[in-house]
Amino acid sequence: MIITLAFAQAAGGAAAQTSPMAGFVGIAPFILIFVAFYFLMIRPQQKRMKTLQASISSMKKNDTVVTAGGLVGKVVSVDDVYANIEIAPTVKVKVVKATIVEVQPLGGKPAND
């Protein structure tokens, strides 16, 4: 029984004397996963948001917009926070510019009628 305890103590002492590289090898998969998420998900989303913000800030009269609620209309007027859009010939709606998800400039995509 004393010999078994001696072997157990020797094994514990050998495990405590591992190299510092073992700690890095244990955390390396997490670092690789974060790098993959950054280049595949975070960075493209940031680029998309930057282009959307630029198009919203340069929005002007007669541009076609799509809101987050699904309304499609033509811009009638724009101020700092709101945009008035015309969704039918006599129907104008005031929307918050932050809810606009797409801006198509005048003469953008043609309809497939």
Side-chain angles (χ1 to χ4, degrees):
M1 177 134 168
I2 296 174
I3 295 175
T4 344
L5 291 175
F7 283 131
Q9 288 176 349
Q17 296 176 0
T18 58
S19 70
M21 190 66 165
F24 178 73
V25 171
I27 200 167
F30 295 111
I31 294 171
L32 291 174
I33 289 171
F34 178 75
V35 169
F37 270 108
Y38 177 75
F39 282 108
L40 295 176
M41 295 179 74
I42 297 171
R43 190 168 173 231
Q45 180 66 21
Q46 287 176 341
K47 288 174 106 175
R48 243 180 277 132
M49 287 304 294
K50 188 182 281 187
T51 58
L52 177 63
Q53 291 299 325
S55 65
I56 288 174
S57 65
S58 66
M59 186 171 53
K60 58 187 179 303
K61 187 175 178 180
N62 292 329
D63 286 347
T64 303
V65 295
V66 179
T67 66
L71 292 176
V72 179
K74 188 181 291 187
V75 176
V76 177
S77 65
V78 180
D79 73 24
D80 292 337
V81 179
Y82 300 104
N84 289 322
I85 62 172
E86 184 177 29
I87 57 175
T90 59
V91 181
K92 294 182 179 131
V93 180
K94 185 181 230 180
V95 297
V96 178
K97 285 171 64 174
T99 62
I100 295 174
V101 293
E102 184 180 352
V103 177
Q104 298 171 353
L106 180 65
K109 294 180 186 178
N112 291 334
D113 292 330

